[in-house]
Structure formats: structure tokens, C-alpha cells
């Protein structure tokens, strides 16, 4: 094998904050990269996150997805941490409950050494809702916010049960507390959220959700990495085998190749058939990375996603060039190399080997 020097061209299909990956139709957004925390929200979490309130309800992603066993049935599920919540996907659950937020309000209170069942109870009050399930009330300034948000369960409008599915029941009465950011505000705890009232904010931002994810799981852990290495290319031709059953590769080192543009494709993720994301969370990432004149390549820094239990793949990308014999040059399409990445750990010195074929050798 020998290296072939290539003229560089930038052919990156890159994304940035709010940047997204779309399906083959180019219309449906299925993933997004957030530079604030160096993490992707990948399928199946992105559509749920975006449809049910986005940053305001869930916050930015704190980490890449991770695998866990469901405490309910022991089946393998996938989870992703966000600033205000944690989402879990279990393929064995019925729709529309395969992606659900956890009871993070209960968990944060327990971390603080407080059991919500020991908090002072409320009483039925005019103008408020009383929930006998927990013994607490829902009044303004939080009542309107609770009713105006909810999970999209396909019921049309904003059904009461959809708000309940998103936030859960109130598990405290409103009380003045100092949050983790040092602000002393009127606060009410819910099973899946903490409401805070900030009267000095503009009206639409006076009720905010506490950053319970950060309080429970800590600061963000980047879930992306850079990938770099070198490309080794063999100049070959294709010749027809007399049996007519297949094509064979024939080396032709005497014929030169003149390349003007070339790139590699980094794509994935690829999951095994028994993985919980197989069929719903695979093959959404695809970028083209230019091959430099010295035959090296490098992805955008800290951009290739970490995929729990899956792998990414390098394949030939685009190529423009001609052969000395007069034919057009093209990458032989079946070369590939699989790899995995870990956040904050760049993958360097990757060796990718592929072949170039010339059109004049096709019958």
C-alpha cells in the first residue's frame, strides 16, 4: 500500500448550536448538537425533548445517552441527563410512554435528606386545585404554568393528564427557599420538577424550573470526541472474471490518478440487533471530512458522538479526479472501518485503507 497525495477541499456537513441532523427527506429533524455542553441530543430523545418544551422544560443535555436496566422489569433501557430532568427510553414500554421523565423532584429532595411525605400538607382552598393523592394544593403563580405545559400524548389541546405526565403531582406547598444558584425564591416541588417564582423577570419568565438535573448529576460531561488519522489508498482496476459470477480486483500501479477533491464519510451509530436503540436510534449521524494533501484527515474538534453499546463507521466519501488512462476515478465503495469514541478522549492515528477504481476498466 502507498499513500496518494490529494488536493485538499473542505467538504464538511457540519452542525453547530441548534444545528441538526435530518432524515433522508431533509425535513424531519432527528438530532441536535449543543456547543454549550458539547453533547448531542440523539434519537429517540431529540423529538421528545423538542416536542415537549425543549430548553425551558428540560434544559441542555448534560451527558451522552447511557444504558441502564429498568428497575420495573429489568429490561435494558437508555437514559440521558439534562439540566432540569432525566429522560429514559424503554422499548418494551407501550407508546406513548417509551420516553418518559423520571421523578427527579422526589430524588433531589431525598438527596437533600428530605422526604416529601413529611412536608407540611395543604388544605382545599378557593381558586386552587387540591390533590388528595399527595395532600397538596396547586395555586397561582404556579397553577397557570402547570396547566399550560404537558407531554404531547396525542390528546389534542392541553389535557390535564398531559400536564400530570410532565410534572407529576405537587409534593409540597409553596414555600420560600434558596436554590442551588443562591436565589431565594418562592418554590413548589412536584414529582418531576421544581417550580420557582422570579417576580423581577419578564412575565413569561417569572416561573422557571429548577436545574434539578445539575443538582442531582453534577456538571456536564462532554459526549463527543474528535477523530483523526491517515488514509492509505491503492490504485486498482476491476476486471471481469470469465465465470461472470463476480468481479475481481486487479492491481494496476502503472496508471496514475489525478485527484482534485476527496473526502471520507464518518457515520453511524450502528447498534447490534439486541440493543434498545436498534431501529430507532441508529444511522442518524453523517459528515464528510476532507482528506488533506498529506493524506491525513480530522473531524471537527469534539463533534463525533459517543454511542453507548454502538459503533461509528468510516467509509469512502466523495472523490473527483481522473486516471492517466482517461477514465474517471472513484473510490471503491465497500471499504469501511468501525470505531467507538469516549467523550473528552480524541481518537487519533486511525488508519483507513481504501481503493480507487477507474471507469475505463468497466466493460
Amino acid at each position: 500500500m502507498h499513500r496518494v497525495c490529494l488536493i485538499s477541499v473542505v467538504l464538511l456537513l457540519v452542525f453547530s448550536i441548534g444545528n441538526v441532523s435530518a432524515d433522508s427527506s431533509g425535513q424531519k429533524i432527528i438530532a441536535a448538537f449543543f456547543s454549550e455542553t458539547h453533547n448531542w441530543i440523539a434519537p429517540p430523545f431529540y423529538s421528545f425533548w423538542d416536542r415537549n418544551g425543549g430548553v425551558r422544560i428540560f434544559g441542555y443535555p448534560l451527558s451522552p445517552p447511557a444504558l441502564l436496566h429498568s428497575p420495573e422489569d429489568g429490561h435494558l433501557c437508555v437514559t440521558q441527563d439534562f439540566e432540569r430532568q432525566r429522560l429514559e427510553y424503554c422499548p418494551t414500554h407501550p407508546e406513548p410512554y417509551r420516553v418518559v421523565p423520571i421523578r427527579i423532584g422526589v430524588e433531589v429532595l431525598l438527596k437533600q435528606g428530605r422526604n416529601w411525605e413529611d412536608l407540611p400538607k395543604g388544605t382545599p382552598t378557593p381558586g386552587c386545585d387540591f390533590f388528595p393523592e399527595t395532600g397538596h394544593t396547586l395555586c397561582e403563580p404556579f397553577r397557570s404554568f402547570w396547566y399550560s405545559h404537558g407531554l404531547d400524548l396525542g390528546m389534542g389541546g392541553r389535557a390535564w393528564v398531559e400536564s400530570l405526565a410532565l410534572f407529576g403531582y405537587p409534593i409540597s406547598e409553596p414555600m420560600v427557599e434558596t436554590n442551588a444558584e443562591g436565589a431565594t425564591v418562592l418554590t413548589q416541588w412536584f414529582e418531576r420538577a421544581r417550580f420557582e417564582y422570579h417576580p423581577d423577570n419578564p412575565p413569561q419568565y417569572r416561573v422557571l424550573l429548577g436545574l434539578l438535573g445539575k443538582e442531582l448529576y453534577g456538571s456536564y460531561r462532554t459526549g463527543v470526541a474528535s477523530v483523526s488519522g491517515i488514509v492509505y489508498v491503492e490504485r486498482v482496476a476491476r476486471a471481469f472474471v470469465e465465470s461472470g459470477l463476480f468481479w475481481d480486483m486487479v492491481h494496476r500501479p502503472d496508471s496514475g490518478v489525478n485527484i482534485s477533491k476527496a473526502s471520507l464519510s464518518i457515520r453511524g451509530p450502528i447498534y447490534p440487533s439486541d440493543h434498545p436503540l436498534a431501529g430507532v436510534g441508529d444511522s442518524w449521524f453523517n459528515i464528510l471530512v476532507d482528506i488533506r494533501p498529506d493524506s491525513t484527515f480530522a473531524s471537527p474538534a469534539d463533534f463525533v458522538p459517543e454511542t453507548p453499546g454502538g459503533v461509528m463507521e468510516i467509509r469512502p466519501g466523495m472523490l473527483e479526479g481522473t486516471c492517466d488512462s482517461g477514465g474517471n476515478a472513484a473510490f471503491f465503495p465497500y471499504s469501511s472501518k468501525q470505531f467507538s469514541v469516549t467523550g473528552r478522549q480524541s481518537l487519533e492515528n486511525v488508519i483507513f485503507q481504501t481503493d480507487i477504481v477507474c471507469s475505463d476498466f468497466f466493460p
Side-chain angles (χ1 to χ4, degrees):
M1 293 289 183
H2 59 279
R3 285 189 292 166
V4 176
C5 289
L6 306 174
I7 298 176
S8 173
V9 61
V10 177
L11 290 170
L12 299 178
L13 303 179
V14 299
F15 319 110
S16 59
I17 170 57
N19 300 323
V20 295
S21 174
D23 67 5
S24 58
S25 69
Q27 297 179 355
K28 182 180 179 182
I29 297 171
I30 59 176
F33 174 71
F34 294 87
S35 58
E36 289 86 350
T37 63
H38 286 252
N39 276 291
W40 285 88
I41 305 179
F45 293 119
Y46 177 75
S47 61
F48 181 94
W49 179 94
D50 183 61
R51 188 173 68 250
N52 292 297
V55 170
R56 186 172 188 187
I57 299 300
F58 303 108
Y60 292 114
L62 288 179
S63 65
L67 296 174
L68 83 161
H69 288 277
S70 170
E72 298 177 6
D73 55 21
H75 287 113
L76 195 60
C77 301
V78 184
T79 184
Q80 188 166 15
D81 301 335
F82 295 83
E83 291 175 311
R84 297 183 171 91
Q85 220 344 318
R86 177 177 183 168
L87 300 180
E88 294 183 356
Y89 169 79
C90 292
T92 57
H93 291 179
E95 290 288 10
Y97 301 106
R98 289 184 180 170
V99 178
V100 294
I102 69 163
R103 298 176 76 216
I104 196 168
V106 173
E107 291 197 16
V108 172
L109 281 174
L110 288 175
K111 182 181 179 181
Q112 296 176 358
R114 296 193 285 173
N115 186 336
W116 72 267
E117 295 179 294
D118 298 331
L119 297 176
K121 304 296 184 181
T123 56
T125 304
C128 303
D129 294 311
F130 180 75
F131 294 86
E133 294 85 353
T134 60
H136 290 290
T137 58
L138 176 60
C139 308
E140 297 298 351
F142 299 131
R143 185 176 183 272
S144 296
F145 187 90
W146 192 91
Y147 274 103
S148 62
H149 298 80
L151 295 187
D152 180 6
L153 301 179
M155 297 180 177
R158 179 63 63 211
W160 175 88
V161 70
E162 293 179 318
S163 298
L164 184 67
L166 178 60
F167 299 125
Y169 292 110
I171 54 175
S172 81
E173 292 300 291
M175 50 190 172
V176 176
E177 293 188 353
T178 301
N179 64 21
E181 288 72 45
T184 301
V185 290
L186 183 67
T187 301
Q188 186 167 15
W189 292 82
F190 294 80
E191 289 180 288
R192 300 183 181 92
R194 183 181 68 218
F195 287 14
E196 300 176 357
Y197 183 64
H198 298 257
D200 295 332
N201 287 355
Q204 66 271 31
Y205 298 113
R206 287 177 182 168
V207 176
L208 300 178
L209 299 187
L211 300 176
L212 299 187
K214 291 183 68 175
E215 294 173 28
L216 192 59
Y217 306 116
S219 187
Y220 78 90
R221 180 178 71 83
T222 181
V224 290
S226 60
V227 178
S228 61
I230 192 167
V231 182
Y232 288 90
V233 182
E234 181 72 23
R235 162 70 177 93
V236 299
R238 301 178 80 189
F240 190 62
V241 176
E242 290 185 1
S243 67
L245 297 179
F246 61 93
W247 295 89
D248 194 13
M249 302 298 296
V250 179
H251 294 273
R252 288 291 302 273
D254 56 320
S255 180
V257 180
N258 304 298
I259 305 300
S260 59
K261 299 179 180 180
S263 64
L264 295 178
S265 169
I266 300 180
R267 67 180 191 174
I270 301 169
Y271 293 111
S273 59
D274 59 348
H275 193 284
L277 292 181
V280 296
D282 44 9
S283 300
W284 56 266
F285 181 89
N286 190 6
I287 60 170
L288 293 177
V289 179
D290 65 299
I291 302 174
R292 299 164 176 156
D294 61 357
S295 297
T296 62
F297 69 93
S299 71
D302 297 332
F303 193 67
V304 179
E306 180 177 331
T307 56
V311 295
M312 302 297 290
E313 185 178 59
I314 298 176
R315 295 180 65 90
M318 299 175 62
L319 187 146
E320 295 182 11
T322 58
C323 302
D324 288 350
S325 56
N328 293 322
F331 279 129
F332 188 64
Y334 301 111
S335 303
S336 66
K337 186 181 186 70
Q338 294 185 345
F339 64 93
S340 58
V341 299
T342 302
R344 294 195 180 127
Q345 295 183 11
S346 59
L347 187 65
E348 301 175 343
N349 303 316
V350 175
I351 296 176
F352 181 72
Q353 296 179 331
T354 189
D355 301 293
I356 291 178
V357 297
C358 293
S359 61
D360 57 303
F361 288 101
F362 289 87

